[in-house]
Amino acid sequence: MSVRATNDTFKSETAGGIVLADFYSDSCIPCKRMSPILAELEEQNPDIKLVKLNINYDAETAAEYNVTSVPTVVFFKDGAEQQRITGAVKKAQLEEIINSIR
């Protein structure tokens, strides 16, 4: 089950294991398309945590991670950024990145 992060909780939520941080906006259509794909990945991979951050409410964190467009998914492993992907992408592309950082 995904976790909604804020400026105050983002670092602690992404600190351990493999985390997909979904930077999104409620008004973003591609973000809405990505949401069920990310949820499905999380469900199929119990070792992965999905953290969602709304850039409109938590712009400070988005700026800190240089997120300039949405959707952006940042892949963390034990708190360190491993890779990122911007824009709506297919599930297979996300799975490829996950497998490469495992």
Side-chain angles (χ1 to χ4, degrees):
M1 172 156 230
S2 66
V3 174
R4 165 91 169 84
T6 64
N7 289 328
D8 295 332
T9 64
F10 187 80
K11 285 194 194 258
S12 65
E13 292 292 355
T14 57
I18 298 174
V19 179
L20 276 61
D22 177 24
F23 289 84
Y24 75 99
S25 168
D26 289 327
S27 61
C28 166
I29 300 301
C31 297
K32 291 178 183 182
R33 290 187 187 132
M34 287 293 293
S35 190
I37 294 169
L38 293 169
E40 191 176 309
L41 278 173
E42 182 188 34
E43 188 177 304
Q44 293 172 347
N45 298 276
D47 62 321
I48 291 175
K49 178 179 181 180
L50 177 61
V51 173
K52 299 180 78 61
L53 185 116
N54 188 318
I55 64 158
N56 296 316
Y57 299 114
D58 299 292
E60 183 181 307
T61 300
E64 182 180 339
Y65 286 90
N66 298 315
V67 173
T68 56
S69 63
V70 289
T72 294
V73 178
V74 180
F75 298 80
F76 290 91
K77 184 172 185 180
D78 298 326
E81 181 177 336
Q82 302 295 307
Q83 202 164 339
R84 69 173 56 203
I85 196 159
T86 301
V89 297
K90 296 182 185 220
K91 182 180 172 188
Q93 289 176 275
L94 297 167
E95 289 173 323
E96 202 173 289
I97 295 170
I98 290 165
N99 290 330
S100 75
I101 63 173
R102 274 198 166 122

